[in-house]
Amino acid sequence: MALYTSYFSFVRKVPEEFLISIAGYAPDGFMGARYRKLAPKRDWWKEWHDKKLPNEWYVGKYNETVLGVLNPQNVLQELGDNMILLCWESPEKFCHRHLVAEWLKKSGVMVLELNELQRDKFINKSL
């Protein structure tokens, strides 16, 4: 099984059948699937964001309230194979999708940040 992670603006031309938003909300017009179980919780996300709390605080809250209550095998079953998990931040920025990727890797899943070559294969459906 393999999964990919990326951000909304990078996958504009990828067919929606491969896209899963794991963000609290998706851009207007987003037609891919939504998997809100992996989205940060709005109340503590807003606190972290507005008070400019450290990323370690965010990681603790995310692990406690999201990943800590999920079973990775169940999540993998629900997500499917060769899907792209999406949120808002570009790869070099702090983002919960990186936490999700590490969590899934611990379950033996290959999770890669989508690059241009891989994106083009999705666009051309030549997986």
Side-chain angles (χ1 to χ4, degrees), residues 19-33:
L19 305 177
I20 301 176
S21 169
I22 61 169
Y25 67 97
D28 291 342
F30 178 77
M31 300 301 290

Side-chain angles (χ1 to χ4, degrees), residues 14-20 82-85 122 125 127:
V14 173
E16 62 194 40
E17 67 210 58
F18 299 111
L19 305 177
I20 301 176
N82 275 329
M83 301 302 284
I84 306 168
L85 308 180
F122 276 98
K125 298 184 180 184
L127 302 173

Side-chain angles (χ1 to χ4, degrees), residues 1-100:
M1 174 173 232
L3 289 171
Y4 299 87
T5 58
S6 193
Y7 56 109
F8 292 113
S9 64
F10 189 70
V11 296
R12 286 190 184 121
K13 295 181 181 178
V14 173
E16 62 194 40
E17 67 210 58
F18 299 111
L19 305 177
I20 301 176
S21 169
I22 61 169
Y25 67 97
D28 291 342
F30 178 77
M31 300 301 290
R34 297 170 197 245
Y35 193 81
R36 289 188 173 95
K37 291 178 186 180
L38 289 174
K41 304 302 179 211
R42 177 80 175 140
D43 58 341
W44 60 256
W45 180 91
K46 186 163 176 33
E47 181 179 359
W48 169 78
H49 180 268
D50 293 350
K51 292 181 180 178
K52 299 183 180 357
L53 296 171
N55 291 345
E56 294 77 21
W57 185 90
Y58 180 107
V59 171
K61 284 290 190 181
Y62 191 77
N63 286 335
E64 176 188 335
T65 63
V66 179
L67 298 180
V69 300
L70 294 172
N71 177 307
Q73 296 307 316
N74 293 346
V75 169
L76 289 167
Q77 230 177 351
E78 292 172 355
L79 292 174
D81 197 18
N82 275 329
M83 301 302 284
I84 306 168
L85 308 180
L86 300 169
C87 66
W88 291 92
E89 303 297 337
S90 57
E92 72 281 355
K93 293 184 179 176
F94 175 77
C95 180
H96 76 287
R97 80 169 182 272
H98 305 300
L99 303 175
V100 171

